[in-house]
Amino acid sequence: MTALQGPDNAPSSGSPGPVPSPRQQTIALVDDDRNILTAVSIGLQAEGFATRVYTDGETALKALLDNPPDLAIFDIKMPRMDGLQLLEALRAQSALPVIFLTSKDEEPDEALGLALGADDYIAKPFSQRLLVARIRAILRRSELRRSLGEASSGEEQVSTIMRGRLSLDPARHHITWDAKAVSLTVTEFMILEALAMRPGVVKSRNQLMDAAYSEDVFVDDRTIDSHIKRLRRKFRAVDPQFDAIDTLYGAGYSFSDG
């Protein structure tokens, strides 16, 4: 599959010396519509990203696992392996950040995508500005986790959050329940961290949105609800009796460490 690459950043001619270029972040695009692939790829390259494009899910899955990008964007309706099947197969082996592109008539698929572990979704038709804002919001969270992990390997140590049977290590993006590892996406981790920081305190959906998304990104209540359902499902996979995330109907969610 051909990969479209954007130009590397270079220091200006007036610089007093060599200036290291920041690492160019890579976005993988998976869509059977080549016109959309071309348009989105060119737009993202103009924003400084490198891009890789794939026209079917089977080809994309192998590439995403063998050589992971920083983030992937999936269309839902594709032949051979659709976006939902691709995400489910990917989540069995990777927590790579994923954004879904959906059409207005695909709302049930959109909700299922979030339940399967997508970090976000964008409805078609969409603006390039919105897409870039969503991408940057998720990548900032990923970079924060990565930088905390690097800091913790040196003299500076980042504390692990212990809440009853939950152990949450922000630096390493590592979570355990009863010493059993639980794999979360970046968005799921941010929501869980916001809840676990203050056990027993009810967090509204808006507060959880603020914790998981930047100010320039707007999502609806259903997005948070879907992520909460996904969190519960993942913890119940290691403990069928898991009930530490409580719902207060009409108010929000809380974490119980009792």
Side-chain angles (χ1 to χ4, degrees), residues 70 87 90-98 114-120 138 141-142 145-146 161 165-177 180-196 212 226-238 242 244-245 255:
D70 293 280
L87 178 63
L90 180 68
R91 281 291 173 258
Q93 304 179 64
S94 171
L96 175 73
V98 171
L114 290 171
L116 289 172
D119 290 272
D120 204 349
I138 293 174
R141 301 199 304 270
S142 297
R145 294 298 167 205
R146 186 179 295 114
I161 300 171
R165 299 151 70 186
L166 174 72
S167 173
L168 190 150
D169 186 342
R172 297 174 180 83
H173 192 94
H174 183 67
I175 307 96
T176 63
W177 179 263
K180 298 175 183 177
V182 181
S183 177
L184 302 182
T185 67
V186 175
T187 304
E188 291 163 354
F189 189 99
M190 299 293 281
I191 292 173
L192 178 63
E193 183 180 28
L195 291 171
S226 294
H227 286 310
I228 291 292
K229 290 177 182 177
R230 178 72 175 175
L231 277 168
R232 286 171 172 154
R233 187 178 299 114
K234 287 185 173 182
F235 277 94
R236 285 170 183 163
V238 301
F242 175 83
I245 299 177
F255 181 85

Side-chain angles (χ1 to χ4, degrees), residues 50-211:
T51 60
R52 304 175 195 157
V53 300
Y54 307 95
T55 55
D56 70 87
E58 290 184 357
T59 302
L61 178 62
K62 184 177 187 305
L64 294 175
L65 293 173
D66 290 347
N67 185 20
D70 293 280
L71 181 145
I73 300 173
F74 297 168
D75 186 30
I76 289 184
K77 302 299 184 184
M78 294 185 293
R80 297 176 62 185
M81 176 184 285
D82 66 26
L84 296 172
Q85 294 169 323
L86 173 58
L87 178 63
E88 188 172 22
L90 180 68
R91 281 291 173 258
Q93 304 179 64
S94 171
L96 175 73
V98 171
I99 295 175
F100 262 130
L101 297 182
T102 67
S103 299
K104 288 183 178 180
D105 59 351
E106 295 172 347
E107 288 189 356
D109 290 338
E110 170 189 296
L112 179 57
L114 290 171
L116 289 172
D119 290 272
D120 204 349
Y121 69 90
I122 298 178
K124 299 176 183 178
F126 57 88
S127 71
Q128 183 77 10
R129 181 178 179 181
L130 172 63
L131 177 61
V132 171
R134 296 287 182 92
I135 290 172
R136 295 197 189 282
I138 293 174
L139 290 178
R140 278 196 294 269
R141 301 199 304 270
S142 297
E143 287 296 322
L144 176 61
R145 294 298 167 205
R146 186 179 295 114
S147 63
L148 287 174
E150 292 170 353
S152 69
S153 64
E155 295 182 358
E156 181 182 354
Q157 297 295 319
V158 180
S159 298
T160 297
I161 300 171
M162 304 295 295
R163 297 290 185 267
R165 299 151 70 186
L166 174 72
S167 173
L168 190 150
D169 186 342
R172 297 174 180 83
H173 192 94
H174 183 67
I175 307 96
T176 63
W177 179 263
D178 280 345
K180 298 175 183 177
V182 181
S183 177
L184 302 182
T185 67
V186 175
T187 304
E188 291 163 354
F189 189 99
M190 299 293 281
I191 292 173
L192 178 63
E193 183 180 28
L195 291 171
M197 287 295 290
R198 300 188 66 189
V201 175
V202 176
K203 295 276 188 176
S204 69
R205 290 175 177 82
N206 286 337
Q207 289 173 318
L208 293 176
M209 289 177 197
D210 290 342

Side-chain angles (χ1 to χ4, degrees), residues 7-43:
D8 292 333
N9 295 326
S12 65
S13 59
S15 174
V19 177
S21 298
R23 184 181 70 86
Q24 190 175 34
Q25 294 171 309
T26 300
I27 311 298
L29 308 173
V30 189
D31 197 315
D32 62 329
D33 188 327
R34 293 182 181 274
N35 291 328
I36 291 179
L37 285 177
T38 299
V40 174
S41 183
I42 291 174

